[in-house]
Amino acid sequence: MPREKKQVHMLSKKSNVIYENWKVYSRHHKLMFRCNEKKAQWYLKRELATPLEDESKAIKLTFQAKGDGHKEGDYMIEDRSNVCVACGSTEQLTMHHVVPEMYRHWMPLVIKSKSSRDLLLLCKHCHDEYEQKAIKLKKECVNRFDIPLEGKGWIYLPEHKKAKKAASALIRSSDKIPKERQEVLKKIVSDFWNEYYHDNKEEDWNAILQICGSLVDHYKGPDYIEHGQSAIEQLTAKCVITEEKETWPDLEAFIKEWRQHFLDHLKPTHLSSSWNVDSDIYSH
């Protein structure tokens, strides 16, 4: 089955300063949330906020915000340290999604907009160590939601795959392949080329090998659905409406499951006690 390779993007800031801990106050001087300097300057340049003279790295909004911001004592308004929450390292830090992005991407906006709560700093070592445990839980989700991690609905081209494999072998290590086997592989490529590329006048054998070695042998069909998309559709099938607000009990449990999994397997020693499994999930 095809697997789409996803890179882990490590933050490249040489100083490893991810959290800049700017405070944003309401007009009534309530601490609403934290942000970085770029966001603070965005407010200041548009005269949507003014700097506080008696406090560094703090601004006060000049307009009445729609919401009240985070509750007093909430994790989201704390000063955060630029260290790995697991081991305390300050090197090679990356933002880790406690709930994998493959699921978070498909969640309702009222949950996605709260995603920064589940973005935590890890060093490369701890991130790689935990990802091995996270993969096991994702594989459990394959059976739970009845869909492979690579999704459903792929269209396969077996003849393209066969020719691609033969061409790649000839390109990569023809000098190590016995003559008889080379002839078999060459015939596979030639037969494919003559059948599918008969209008192509290319005569250079090396060029033909390069083209066949780069063939697409599968693609997403019209009914393709991603693993995360299918999982979230199933988790949001049951919707509860209270005071005109939608909630999804099964999805809540799934998010808490990932939070608990993170705590159980990584046992972070530098994570704020204000961050917990039962923290807010919705933005309403």
Side-chain angles (χ1 to χ4, degrees):
M1 300 289 284
R3 292 186 183 277
E4 293 190 65
K5 295 181 180 178
K6 294 189 176 180
Q7 291 183 313
V8 174
H9 296 288
M10 305 301 292
L11 292 169
S12 60
K13 290 187 177 181
K14 292 182 180 179
S15 62
N16 273 339
V17 175
I18 296 22
Y19 297 131
E20 297 178 347
N21 291 313
W22 277 71
K23 296 178 183 178
V24 180
Y25 289 92
S26 70
R27 289 175 62 186
H28 307 294
H29 208 72
K30 176 186 180 296
L31 180 56
M32 298 183 68
F33 59 92
R34 300 275 184 155
C35 69
N36 57 22
E37 183 177 1
K38 182 178 180 180
K39 186 66 174 178
Q41 291 300 330
W42 185 90
Y43 281 108
L44 292 170
K45 288 177 180 177
R46 288 163 179 76
E47 298 184 349
L48 297 173
T50 56
L52 292 184
E53 295 180 2
D54 57 348
E55 192 172 356
S56 64
K57 296 203 298 186
I59 60 174
K60 183 177 181 180
L61 300 180
T62 57
F63 63 95
Q64 184 62 46
K66 288 183 180 179
D68 238 358
H70 298 286
K71 295 177 291 188
E72 185 176 350
D74 188 77
Y75 166 76
M76 296 302 290
I77 56 173
E78 286 184 348
D79 256 334
R80 296 187 216 171
S81 301
N82 288 287
V83 300
C84 171
V85 298
C87 70
S89 172
T90 59
E91 302 299 321
Q92 290 187 292
L93 299 176
T94 184
M95 295 299 274
H96 172 75
H97 292 80
V98 174
V99 182
E101 179 61 19
M102 69 187 303
Y103 300 114
R104 179 74 65 178
H105 175 79
W106 301 101
M107 292 183 186
L109 185 60
V110 292
I111 293 179
K112 281 198 295 187
S113 61
K114 277 281 187 180
S115 63
S116 57
R117 183 181 297 277
D118 291 322
L119 276 173
L120 299 176
L121 276 184
L122 289 180
C123 66
K124 186 179 186 304
H125 173 76
C126 291
H127 182 273
D128 291 348
E129 181 180 322
Y130 176 70
E131 278 302 302
Q132 299 307 309
K133 309 290 194 312
I135 287 171
K136 290 183 180 179
L137 181 52
K138 288 177 184 177
K139 287 181 178 178
E140 290 177 20
C141 290
V142 168
N143 294 325
R144 191 187 309 181
F145 301 113
D146 190 29
I147 182 168
L149 289 176
E150 60 271 16
K152 260 182 195 174
W154 290 92
I155 303 295
Y156 297 96
L157 304 170
E159 291 303 317
H160 287 63
K161 183 176 182 179
K162 187 177 178 182
K164 180 179 181 179
K165 188 176 179 180
S168 297
L170 290 169
I171 292 169
R172 187 173 57 252
S173 51
S174 61
D175 57 325
K176 299 177 184 177
I177 301 174
K179 291 291 184 183
E180 289 184 6
R181 180 58 182 164
Q182 283 190 45
E183 292 306 315
V184 172
L185 295 175
K186 287 178 181 178
K187 187 175 188 308
I188 291 173
V189 174
S190 295
D191 288 350
F192 175 86
W193 185 265
N194 292 332
E195 181 175 354
Y196 290 93
Y197 285 81
H198 54 268
D199 292 332
N200 192 314
K201 304 304 181 183
E202 180 63 64
E203 295 182 357
D204 181 63
W205 176 245
N206 288 327
I208 291 173
L209 285 179
Q210 292 297 329
I211 293 171
C212 290
S214 303
L215 289 169
V216 173
D217 55 21
H218 63 273
Y219 61 92
K220 295 173 182 177
D223 298 322
Y224 175 80
I225 184 170
E226 291 193 21
H227 169 85
Q229 179 182 2
S230 178
I232 299 306
E233 284 180 0
Q234 294 175 57
L235 290 167
T236 53
K238 179 183 177 182
C239 178
V240 177
I241 302 177
T242 308
E243 297 179 356
E244 298 184 356
K245 294 178 180 179
E246 292 180 308
T247 59
W248 299 272
D250 294 337
L251 183 52
E252 292 173 26
F254 184 68
I255 291 170
K256 291 178 181 181
E257 178 183 6
W258 275 101
R259 289 175 174 175
Q260 190 63 57
H261 186 272
F262 179 82
L263 294 177
D264 291 344
H265 289 84
L266 204 51
K267 296 179 171 52
T269 57
H270 290 71
L271 179 59
S272 168
S273 58
S274 299
W275 191 95
N276 61 71
V277 172
D278 295 317
S279 294
D280 289 346
I281 290 175
Y282 301 95
S283 59
H284 55 47

